[in-house]
Amino acid sequence: MDRVATFNEFLREKGLKNTSQRMLILEAFLNSDSHYSTEDLYLKLRQDNPKIGYATVHRTLKLLAESGLAIELNFGDGQARFEPVHEAEHHDHLVCTKCGLIIEFEEPRVEALQNEVAKRYNFMIQSHRHELYGLCQDCAKKA
Amino acid sequence: MDRVATFNEFLREKGLKNTSQRMLILEAFLNSDSHYSTEDLYLKLRQDNPKIGYATVHRTLKLLAESGLAIELNFGDGQARFEPVHEAEHHDHLVCTKCGLIIEFEEPRVEALQNEVAKRYNFMIQSHRHELYGLCQDCAKKA
DNA sequence: TAGTTTTCTGAAAGTTATTTTCAATTTCCC
DNA sequence: GGGAAATTGAAAATAACTTTCAGAAAACTA
């Protein structure tokens, strides 16, 4: 089942409706590997669909997060970002504090340690965030 | 040098002034192991100092973060929290999504892996955040 | 598939947390 | 102590969401 179908099923289960706006937003969201903020995606969609509203984009992104198709990220700049979830893949982020570059990384050994920590505290992990902040190669060179 | 002295030196270097409010806030902040939001600390300080302003508390917490005496945390609930830095100790957090409990943990092996990842991308780490979200022992029991 | 019910949408207003402004006050440096 | 420069608290301003509401669209129902 592709992700459009997954989202439709999610909507049906929730008693929500499948609208043209939701499909537009879903498509634009999936066809990118960016880390969109509501504002970013809103502005992008406006280019082809001048009538779409900010609130609708935001509500749909929240729905996508709820449905598991998106993950909400917060890098501490006061703007939530949303990232498409690519099944069976997990990664975390390096964030350049100078230019804003976001690099994704995977490190299964960290996940293993997380589980160990959780066990230590009888904690049941639902999700996690792991972000490294600093300077990317280019910015470090310039500094 | 204790942390009050450290902060005073920071102020002096920045050409800022040492005021009674800043000392009050610093003291209240250090004498706690909580994860205060501006609001939390403001309300606490108000009990003994009804005249202190929210903006002053917030500005001082920002200064503390800038001086390295505090770390600004964001657990995604839309409120920044500040935590005293205890030198030579580093920890991350388990956050209960049900009751809000915050547990601190240390895991040096994660730090080692982080450095490895950074090297892989020629990235210069300045800071990081690592948070595990889920249910604490009590909430998991009730669920 | 027409009618009815329910959910959606977009614009605008409302929130919430944080930040800035500004006039009065307080420091700090001679 | 005098005076420039920073600080304070209250209130206004911002920024990022979130909610409201009336008209529009989808889904259900007979």
mmCIF file of all heavy atoms in Angstrom, chain C residues 3-6 10 12 14-18 22 25 28 30:
data_model
loop_
_atom_site.group_PDB
_atom_site.id
_atom_site.type_symbol
_atom_site.label_atom_id
_atom_site.label_comp_id
_atom_site.label_asym_id
_atom_site.label_seq_id
_atom_site.Cartn_x
_atom_site.Cartn_y
_atom_site.Cartn_z
ATOM 1 P P DG C 3 -33.084 17.174 -4.279
ATOM 2 O OP1 DG C 3 -34.415 17.825 -4.308
ATOM 3 O OP2 DG C 3 -31.875 17.921 -4.704
ATOM 4 O "O5'" DG C 3 -32.872 16.601 -2.816
ATOM 5 C "C5'" DG C 3 -33.791 15.615 -2.313
ATOM 6 C "C4'" DG C 3 -33.391 15.267 -0.890
ATOM 7 O "O4'" DG C 3 -32.125 14.559 -0.900
ATOM 8 C "C3'" DG C 3 -33.193 16.490 0.001
ATOM 9 O "O3'" DG C 3 -33.662 16.139 1.305
ATOM 10 C "C2'" DG C 3 -31.684 16.703 -0.017
ATOM 11 C "C1'" DG C 3 -31.172 15.273 -0.097
ATOM 12 N N9 DG C 3 -29.852 15.063 -0.710
ATOM 13 C C8 DG C 3 -29.322 15.698 -1.810
ATOM 14 N N7 DG C 3 -28.126 15.259 -2.126
ATOM 15 C C5 DG C 3 -27.860 14.278 -1.167
ATOM 16 C C6 DG C 3 -26.725 13.440 -0.996
ATOM 17 O O6 DG C 3 -25.701 13.390 -1.666
ATOM 18 N N1 DG C 3 -26.876 12.598 0.110
ATOM 19 C C2 DG C 3 -27.959 12.560 0.930
ATOM 20 N N2 DG C 3 -27.925 11.693 1.923
ATOM 21 N N3 DG C 3 -29.035 13.326 0.781
ATOM 22 C C4 DG C 3 -28.915 14.157 -0.291
ATOM 23 P P DT C 4 -33.722 17.222 2.446
ATOM 24 O OP1 DT C 4 -35.002 17.121 3.179
ATOM 25 O OP2 DT C 4 -33.257 18.519 1.884
ATOM 26 O "O5'" DT C 4 -32.581 16.631 3.388
ATOM 27 C "C5'" DT C 4 -32.599 15.223 3.690
ATOM 28 C "C4'" DT C 4 -31.422 14.907 4.593
ATOM 29 O "O4'" DT C 4 -30.209 14.714 3.813
ATOM 30 C "C3'" DT C 4 -31.106 15.990 5.618
ATOM 31 O "O3'" DT C 4 -30.889 15.343 6.863
ATOM 32 C "C2'" DT C 4 -29.847 16.656 5.085
ATOM 33 C "C1'" DT C 4 -29.162 15.499 4.362
ATOM 34 N N1 DT C 4 -28.245 15.843 3.243
ATOM 35 C C2 DT C 4 -27.118 15.073 3.081
ATOM 36 O O2 DT C 4 -26.832 14.150 3.808
ATOM 37 N N3 DT C 4 -26.322 15.433 2.008
ATOM 38 C C4 DT C 4 -26.541 16.461 1.124
ATOM 39 O O4 DT C 4 -25.752 16.660 0.215
ATOM 40 C C5 DT C 4 -27.734 17.234 1.356
ATOM 41 C C7 DT C 4 -28.051 18.395 0.451
ATOM 42 C C6 DT C 4 -28.520 16.898 2.390
ATOM 43 P P DT C 5 -30.701 16.219 8.202
ATOM 44 O OP1 DT C 5 -31.603 15.715 9.239
ATOM 45 O OP2 DT C 5 -30.669 17.662 7.850
ATOM 46 O "O5'" DT C 5 -29.228 15.746 8.583
ATOM 47 C "C5'" DT C 5 -28.910 14.350 8.460
ATOM 48 C "C4'" DT C 5 -27.409 14.181 8.521
ATOM 49 O "O4'" DT C 5 -26.791 14.594 7.274
ATOM 50 C "C3'" DT C 5 -26.755 15.025 9.615
ATOM 51 O "O3'" DT C 5 -25.920 14.159 10.369
ATOM 52 C "C2'" DT C 5 -25.963 16.091 8.872
ATOM 53 C "C1'" DT C 5 -25.651 15.389 7.550
ATOM 54 N N1 DT C 5 -25.427 16.271 6.371
ATOM 55 C C2 DT C 5 -24.393 15.959 5.521
ATOM 56 O O2 DT C 5 -23.651 15.005 5.704
ATOM 57 N N3 DT C 5 -24.268 16.795 4.447
ATOM 58 C C4 DT C 5 -25.045 17.891 4.137
ATOM 59 O O4 DT C 5 -24.818 18.558 3.130
ATOM 60 C C5 DT C 5 -26.113 18.174 5.075
ATOM 61 C C7 DT C 5 -27.010 19.359 4.841
ATOM 62 C C6 DT C 5 -26.253 17.354 6.140
ATOM 63 P P DT C 6 -25.182 14.695 11.692
ATOM 64 O OP1 DT C 6 -25.202 13.625 12.709
ATOM 65 O OP2 DT C 6 -25.677 16.052 12.001
ATOM 66 O "O5'" DT C 6 -23.682 14.816 11.163
ATOM 67 C "C5'" DT C 6 -23.114 13.710 10.454
ATOM 68 C "C4'" DT C 6 -21.789 14.145 9.873
ATOM 69 O "O4'" DT C 6 -22.003 14.960 8.702
ATOM 70 C "C3'" DT C 6 -20.968 14.998 10.857
ATOM 71 O "O3'" DT C 6 -19.695 14.390 10.999
ATOM 72 C "C2'" DT C 6 -20.900 16.364 10.203
ATOM 73 C "C1'" DT C 6 -21.099 16.045 8.722
ATOM 74 N N1 DT C 6 -21.686 17.136 7.902
ATOM 75 C C2 DT C 6 -21.137 17.399 6.673
ATOM 76 O O2 DT C 6 -20.211 16.760 6.212
ATOM 77 N N3 DT C 6 -21.728 18.425 5.985
ATOM 78 C C4 DT C 6 -22.787 19.216 6.403
ATOM 79 O O4 DT C 6 -23.214 20.107 5.678
ATOM 80 C C5 DT C 6 -23.310 18.891 7.705
ATOM 81 C C7 DT C 6 -24.450 19.698 8.247
ATOM 82 C C6 DT C 6 -22.744 17.887 8.391
ATOM 83 P P DG C 10 -8.262 25.984 1.592
ATOM 84 O OP1 DG C 10 -7.872 25.968 0.176
ATOM 85 O OP2 DG C 10 -7.347 25.468 2.616
ATOM 86 O "O5'" DG C 10 -8.670 27.467 1.982
ATOM 87 C "C5'" DG C 10 -9.659 28.144 1.227
ATOM 88 C "C4'" DG C 10 -9.949 29.482 1.876
ATOM 89 O "O4'" DG C 10 -10.612 29.261 3.145
ATOM 90 C "C3'" DG C 10 -8.711 30.328 2.177
ATOM 91 O "O3'" DG C 10 -9.050 31.663 1.826
ATOM 92 C "C2'" DG C 10 -8.506 30.164 3.680
ATOM 93 C "C1'" DG C 10 -9.914 29.923 4.187
ATOM 94 N N9 DG C 10 -10.044 29.046 5.352
ATOM 95 C C8 DG C 10 -9.249 27.995 5.716
ATOM 96 N N7 DG C 10 -9.665 27.386 6.798
ATOM 97 C C5 DG C 10 -10.817 28.080 7.167
ATOM 98 C C6 DG C 10 -11.714 27.878 8.255
ATOM 99 O O6 DG C 10 -11.673 27.017 9.122
ATOM 100 N N1 DG C 10 -12.747 28.813 8.254
ATOM 101 C C2 DG C 10 -12.894 29.809 7.322
ATOM 102 N N2 DG C 10 -13.943 30.606 7.485
ATOM 103 N N3 DG C 10 -12.075 30.009 6.297
ATOM 104 C C4 DG C 10 -11.060 29.110 6.284
ATOM 105 P P DA C 12 -9.143 38.255 5.622
ATOM 106 O OP1 DA C 12 -9.708 39.490 5.036
ATOM 107 O OP2 DA C 12 -7.690 37.976 5.543
ATOM 108 O "O5'" DA C 12 -9.610 38.159 7.133
ATOM 109 C "C5'" DA C 12 -10.958 37.812 7.428
ATOM 110 C "C4'" DA C 12 -11.087 37.619 8.927
ATOM 111 O "O4'" DA C 12 -10.647 36.290 9.295
ATOM 112 C "C3'" DA C 12 -10.234 38.582 9.736
ATOM 113 O "O3'" DA C 12 -10.931 38.928 10.915
ATOM 114 C "C2'" DA C 12 -8.994 37.760 10.045
ATOM 115 C "C1'" DA C 12 -9.646 36.404 10.291
ATOM 116 N N9 DA C 12 -8.750 35.260 10.174
ATOM 117 C C8 DA C 12 -7.677 35.085 9.335
ATOM 118 N N7 DA C 12 -7.052 33.943 9.497
ATOM 119 C C5 DA C 12 -7.768 33.319 10.515
ATOM 120 C C6 DA C 12 -7.617 32.074 11.151
ATOM 121 N N6 DA C 12 -6.663 31.196 10.841
ATOM 122 N N1 DA C 12 -8.496 31.750 12.129
ATOM 123 C C2 DA C 12 -9.454 32.635 12.437
ATOM 124 N N3 DA C 12 -9.710 33.839 11.905
ATOM 125 C C4 DA C 12 -8.808 34.118 10.944
ATOM 126 P P DG C 14 -10.869 38.323 18.434
ATOM 127 O OP1 DG C 14 -12.030 38.449 19.358
ATOM 128 O OP2 DG C 14 -9.885 39.416 18.284
ATOM 129 O "O5'" DG C 14 -10.088 36.999 18.841
ATOM 130 C "C5'" DG C 14 -10.803 35.763 18.872
ATOM 131 C "C4'" DG C 14 -9.921 34.706 19.490
ATOM 132 O "O4'" DG C 14 -8.856 34.375 18.568
ATOM 133 C "C3'" DG C 14 -9.245 35.143 20.793
ATOM 134 O "O3'" DG C 14 -9.315 34.040 21.679
ATOM 135 C "C2'" DG C 14 -7.817 35.460 20.370
ATOM 136 C "C1'" DG C 14 -7.606 34.463 19.236
ATOM 137 N N9 DG C 14 -6.608 34.817 18.214
ATOM 138 C C8 DG C 14 -6.513 35.991 17.508
ATOM 139 N N7 DG C 14 -5.533 35.991 16.635
ATOM 140 C C5 DG C 14 -4.952 34.738 16.778
ATOM 141 C C6 DG C 14 -3.848 34.152 16.091
ATOM 142 O O6 DG C 14 -3.147 34.634 15.204
ATOM 143 N N1 DG C 14 -3.588 32.871 16.543
ATOM 144 C C2 DG C 14 -4.301 32.231 17.526
ATOM 145 N N2 DG C 14 -3.907 31.002 17.842
ATOM 146 N N3 DG C 14 -5.337 32.757 18.170
ATOM 147 C C4 DG C 14 -5.603 34.008 17.744
ATOM 148 P P DT C 15 -8.996 34.255 23.262
ATOM 149 O OP1 DT C 15 -10.126 33.800 24.061
ATOM 150 O OP2 DT C 15 -8.421 35.624 23.464
ATOM 151 O "O5'" DT C 15 -7.815 33.221 23.465
ATOM 152 C "C5'" DT C 15 -6.810 33.158 22.469
ATOM 153 C "C4'" DT C 15 -5.995 31.923 22.688
ATOM 154 O "O4'" DT C 15 -5.103 31.847 21.579
ATOM 155 C "C3'" DT C 15 -5.122 32.038 23.932
ATOM 156 O "O3'" DT C 15 -4.897 30.744 24.449
ATOM 157 C "C2'" DT C 15 -3.863 32.718 23.402
ATOM 158 C "C1'" DT C 15 -3.787 32.227 21.951
ATOM 159 N N1 DT C 15 -3.337 33.252 20.975
ATOM 160 C C2 DT C 15 -2.312 32.920 20.111
ATOM 161 O O2 DT C 15 -1.773 31.835 20.119
ATOM 162 N N3 DT C 15 -1.952 33.905 19.230
ATOM 163 C C4 DT C 15 -2.497 35.161 19.128
ATOM 164 O O4 DT C 15 -2.084 35.950 18.279
ATOM 165 C C5 DT C 15 -3.560 35.467 20.070
ATOM 166 C C7 DT C 15 -4.214 36.809 20.038
ATOM 167 C C6 DT C 15 -3.927 34.503 20.933
ATOM 168 P P DT C 16 -4.256 30.558 25.900
ATOM 169 O OP1 DT C 16 -4.755 29.261 26.396
ATOM 170 O OP2 DT C 16 -4.454 31.810 26.676
ATOM 171 O "O5'" DT C 16 -2.709 30.410 25.598
ATOM 172 C "C5'" DT C 16 -2.285 29.488 24.585
ATOM 173 C "C4'" DT C 16 -0.785 29.584 24.451
ATOM 174 O "O4'" DT C 16 -0.450 30.545 23.432
ATOM 175 C "C3'" DT C 16 -0.068 30.040 25.717
ATOM 176 O "O3'" DT C 16 1.060 29.202 25.895
ATOM 177 C "C2'" DT C 16 0.325 31.470 25.434
ATOM 178 C "C1'" DT C 16 0.532 31.432 23.922
ATOM 179 N N1 DT C 16 0.327 32.710 23.197
ATOM 180 C C2 DT C 16 1.066 32.926 22.052
ATOM 181 O O2 DT C 16 1.881 32.130 21.619
ATOM 182 N N3 DT C 16 0.813 34.112 21.421
ATOM 183 C C4 DT C 16 -0.077 35.094 21.811
ATOM 184 O O4 DT C 16 -0.210 36.118 21.155
ATOM 185 C C5 DT C 16 -0.817 34.800 23.031
ATOM 186 C C7 DT C 16 -1.811 35.792 23.543
ATOM 187 C C6 DT C 16 -0.588 33.636 23.649
ATOM 188 P P DA C 17 1.975 29.260 27.215
ATOM 189 O OP1 DA C 17 2.164 27.885 27.696
ATOM 190 O OP2 DA C 17 1.472 30.302 28.131
ATOM 191 O "O5'" DA C 17 3.344 29.746 26.589
ATOM 192 C "C5'" DA C 17 3.922 28.971 25.543
ATOM 193 C "C4'" DA C 17 5.025 29.773 24.910
ATOM 194 O "O4'" DA C 17 4.472 30.918 24.246
ATOM 195 C "C3'" DA C 17 6.058 30.301 25.908
ATOM 196 O "O3'" DA C 17 7.345 29.974 25.392
ATOM 197 C "C2'" DA C 17 5.791 31.794 25.958
ATOM 198 C "C1'" DA C 17 5.231 32.071 24.571
ATOM 199 N N9 DA C 17 4.335 33.220 24.478
ATOM 200 C C8 DA C 17 3.333 33.583 25.337
ATOM 201 N N7 DA C 17 2.685 34.669 24.985
ATOM 202 C C5 DA C 17 3.314 35.052 23.813
ATOM 203 C C6 DA C 17 3.104 36.129 22.936
ATOM 204 N N6 DA C 17 2.161 37.058 23.120
ATOM 205 N N1 DA C 17 3.908 36.220 21.851
ATOM 206 C C2 DA C 17 4.846 35.281 21.663
ATOM 207 N N3 DA C 17 5.138 34.218 22.411
ATOM 208 C C4 DA C 17 4.321 34.170 23.486
ATOM 209 P P DT C 18 8.653 30.306 26.221
ATOM 210 O OP1 DT C 18 9.593 29.234 25.931
ATOM 211 O OP2 DT C 18 8.319 30.663 27.606
ATOM 212 O "O5'" DT C 18 9.169 31.612 25.480
ATOM 213 C "C5'" DT C 18 9.230 31.572 24.064
ATOM 214 C "C4'" DT C 18 9.365 32.954 23.507
ATOM 215 O "O4'" DT C 18 8.177 33.734 23.759
ATOM 216 C "C3'" DT C 18 10.539 33.768 24.060
ATOM 217 O "O3'" DT C 18 11.404 33.998 22.961
ATOM 218 C "C2'" DT C 18 9.893 35.036 24.593
ATOM 219 C "C1'" DT C 18 8.579 35.081 23.831
ATOM 220 N N1 DT C 18 7.462 35.831 24.434
ATOM 221 C C2 DT C 18 6.968 36.921 23.739
ATOM 222 O O2 DT C 18 7.419 37.294 22.679
ATOM 223 N N3 DT C 18 5.915 37.547 24.343
ATOM 224 C C4 DT C 18 5.316 37.212 25.543
ATOM 225 O O4 DT C 18 4.364 37.856 25.973
ATOM 226 C C5 DT C 18 5.882 36.070 26.218
ATOM 227 C C7 DT C 18 5.313 35.612 27.509
ATOM 228 C C6 DT C 18 6.914 35.430 25.637
ATOM 229 P P DC C 22 9.840 52.952 21.399
ATOM 230 O OP1 DC C 22 8.859 53.601 20.508
ATOM 231 O OP2 DC C 22 11.288 52.969 21.078
ATOM 232 O "O5'" DC C 22 9.636 53.511 22.866
ATOM 233 C "C5'" DC C 22 8.422 53.230 23.566
ATOM 234 C "C4'" DC C 22 8.542 53.697 25.003
ATOM 235 O "O4'" DC C 22 8.989 52.593 25.833
ATOM 236 C "C3'" DC C 22 9.578 54.811 25.200
ATOM 237 O "O3'" DC C 22 9.071 55.719 26.174
ATOM 238 C "C2'" DC C 22 10.787 54.070 25.730
ATOM 239 C "C1'" DC C 22 10.103 53.008 26.590
ATOM 240 N N1 DC C 22 10.915 51.808 26.884
ATOM 241 C C2 DC C 22 10.578 51.025 27.993
ATOM 242 O O2 DC C 22 9.606 51.349 28.688
ATOM 243 N N3 DC C 22 11.324 49.935 28.280
ATOM 244 C C4 DC C 22 12.356 49.619 27.508
ATOM 245 N N4 DC C 22 13.060 48.527 27.837
ATOM 246 C C5 DC C 22 12.729 50.396 26.365
ATOM 247 C C6 DC C 22 11.984 51.472 26.093
ATOM 248 P P DT C 25 11.350 56.995 38.817
ATOM 249 O OP1 DT C 25 10.541 56.669 40.007
ATOM 250 O OP2 DT C 25 11.833 58.364 38.553
ATOM 251 O "O5'" DT C 25 12.580 56.006 38.816
ATOM 252 C "C5'" DT C 25 12.301 54.628 39.003
ATOM 253 C "C4'" DT C 25 13.545 53.799 38.886
ATOM 254 O "O4'" DT C 25 14.182 53.958 37.605
ATOM 255 C "C3'" DT C 25 14.616 54.088 39.938
ATOM 256 O "O3'" DT C 25 14.739 52.890 40.690
ATOM 257 C "C2'" DT C 25 15.874 54.417 39.147
ATOM 258 C "C1'" DT C 25 15.576 53.817 37.780
ATOM 259 N N1 DT C 25 16.210 54.445 36.591
ATOM 260 C C2 DT C 25 17.125 53.709 35.876
ATOM 261 O O2 DT C 25 17.458 52.573 36.180
ATOM 262 N N3 DT C 25 17.639 54.340 34.767
ATOM 263 C C4 DT C 25 17.335 55.613 34.317
ATOM 264 O O4 DT C 25 17.861 56.057 33.311
ATOM 265 C C5 DT C 25 16.380 56.337 35.123
ATOM 266 C C7 DT C 25 15.989 57.718 34.720
ATOM 267 C C6 DT C 25 15.863 55.726 36.206
ATOM 268 P P DC C 28 27.427 47.312 39.265
ATOM 269 O OP1 DC C 28 27.618 45.938 38.768
ATOM 270 O OP2 DC C 28 27.585 47.628 40.703
ATOM 271 O "O5'" DC C 28 28.372 48.278 38.421
ATOM 272 C "C5'" DC C 28 28.242 48.269 37.001
ATOM 273 C "C4'" DC C 28 29.094 49.371 36.426
ATOM 274 O "O4'" DC C 28 28.487 50.654 36.690
ATOM 275 C "C3'" DC C 28 30.512 49.430 36.996
ATOM 276 O "O3'" DC C 28 31.371 49.674 35.899
ATOM 277 C "C2'" DC C 28 30.454 50.611 37.953
ATOM 278 C "C1'" DC C 28 29.454 51.521 37.258
ATOM 279 N N1 DC C 28 28.681 52.468 38.105
ATOM 280 C C2 DC C 28 28.374 53.738 37.580
ATOM 281 O O2 DC C 28 28.781 54.037 36.449
ATOM 282 N N3 DC C 28 27.648 54.597 38.326
ATOM 283 C C4 DC C 28 27.222 54.243 39.539
ATOM 284 N N4 DC C 28 26.481 55.123 40.222
ATOM 285 C C5 DC C 28 27.522 52.965 40.102
ATOM 286 C C6 DC C 28 28.247 52.110 39.361
ATOM 287 P P DC C 30 37.099 54.113 34.138
ATOM 288 O OP1 DC C 30 37.538 54.672 32.842
ATOM 289 O OP2 DC C 30 37.672 52.860 34.669
ATOM 290 O "O5'" DC C 30 37.272 55.224 35.258
ATOM 291 C "C5'" DC C 30 37.873 56.468 34.919
ATOM 292 C "C4'" DC C 30 36.852 57.590 35.019
ATOM 293 O "O4'" DC C 30 35.813 57.187 35.925
ATOM 294 C "C3'" DC C 30 37.419 58.903 35.566
ATOM 295 O "O3'" DC C 30 36.831 59.964 34.855
ATOM 296 C "C2'" DC C 30 36.963 58.891 37.027
ATOM 297 C "C1'" DC C 30 35.626 58.205 36.918
ATOM 298 N N1 DC C 30 35.135 57.504 38.128
ATOM 299 C C2 DC C 30 34.239 58.179 38.961
ATOM 300 O O2 DC C 30 33.899 59.340 38.683
ATOM 301 N N3 DC C 30 33.757 57.536 40.064
ATOM 302 C C4 DC C 30 34.136 56.280 40.332
ATOM 303 N N4 DC C 30 33.646 55.695 41.414
ATOM 304 C C5 DC C 30 35.068 55.596 39.497
ATOM 305 C C6 DC C 30 35.533 56.230 38.415
#
